[in-house]
Amino acid sequence: MKPQGWIARHPGEPPGAVKPLRVWLSAAHGPRLLALAQVYQLVWATTWGAEANTFVSPVLGLPELPVVEWPARREAGPEGTFWKTRHLVAHAAGRPFTWVDDELGAPDRAFVAVRHAGPALLRFVDPRLGLRDDDFAALRLFAQACAAG
């Protein structure tokens, strides 16, 4: 895949000369994510931005999803957090939320625990493995706990 963000990381190279970004997707995840959409509002929180709807959603059979808008400058987060963390807390605005990412760590969990008023599940996914059955189970359990109040 050659999203614009990927091409932009290769300044000076003609787009046709940029080697495509290798992305492993499982079409089987589409129906499982759609099932979660009954209890979650699915949102792309990826550096791909709206291009996730162009490149990823069709492969998974997902509809066009809302996208978290990121600042133009992606500065390191406070207290050792990933740069996205504070922006996702602001986006969630106190609502329960789940964040699945391959760059989450203890500083992000600590930051969210202190600065987010609602329940939150931050789920690290190994980029070499992707979403697994236990990830989907954790997402369902969190949604059930939030619904139970």
Side-chain angles (χ1 to χ4, degrees), residues 74-101:
R74 297 183 179 150
E75 299 172 353
E79 303 167 35
T81 60
F82 184 38
W83 69 266
K84 290 180 181 179
T85 308
R86 66 186 179 276
H87 303 293
L88 286 174
V89 168
H91 181 83
R95 297 170 296 180
F97 81 101
T98 300
W99 176 22
V100 178
D101 206 304

Side-chain angles (χ1 to χ4, degrees), residues 43-50 52 67-68 70 74 83-84 101:
V43 176
W44 287 118
T46 173
T47 56
W48 288 53
V67 177
V68 174
W70 304 116
R74 297 183 179 150
W83 69 266
K84 290 180 181 179
D101 206 304

